[in-house]
Amino acid sequence: MVVQQLVARQCLPAVVRAAQVIRDAFLAGHKLLLCGNGGSAADCQHVAAEVVSRLRSDLDRPGLPAVALTTDTSFLTAFANDCGYDGVFARQLQALGQGGDVLLAISTSGRSTNVVLAVKAARTASVPTIGLFGEGGTLEREVDVPITVPSRNTQVVQECMLSIEHAICELVEESLFGDLRPSVTGVVS
């Protein structure tokens, strides 16, 4: 509970900034790319699903372009087998990322090698980067918008990450489609 309270106080400006960066990319016709391992890979898929589909059930909005780089098992296993696992996200970013897209890099430790290399590939491709991670890793210094959960306890970091991810999605939806929300009377305002 203490960490969640710290997140609410310390991370809010970065969460708002991350939502602005993602919103601006969507407004300019770009997409959101996401990468991470294990539970963070699941978070990537969760966030991409919320962005493409919707977060709020009372908001009927168009889909937005988001791709979890964690989902193509044929590519992941082929590349990891042939070239090693460290470059799996960087290679996808090189192939799929275009200047103006945004990379959301998720790592509970803040130091996953393949996520660090993806951030470096993003920088080369003029893709702005947002990082979501626990404290103590190197990624905090590598990304454009760092969101650092003030803990090194994996389960606590992951619990906080879900709230942060939903907050980012909700801020993006509200800023782009808030006018599509039904009013109290059921009429779109």
Side-chain angles (χ1 to χ4, degrees), residues 30-50:
H30 299 289
K31 64 187 167 295
L32 175 64
L33 302 168
L34 304 98
C35 68
N37 299 290
S40 298
D43 281 4
C44 291
Q45 294 172 54
H46 182 126
V47 172
E50 303 285 18

Side-chain angles (χ1 to χ4, degrees), residues 127-151:
V127 170
T129 54
I130 299 165
L132 177 54
F133 29 73
E135 66 183 4
T138 59
L139 278 167
E140 185 172 16
R141 296 180 301 278
E142 299 289 331
V143 297
D144 300 314
V145 182
I147 305 170
T148 305
V149 175
S151 177

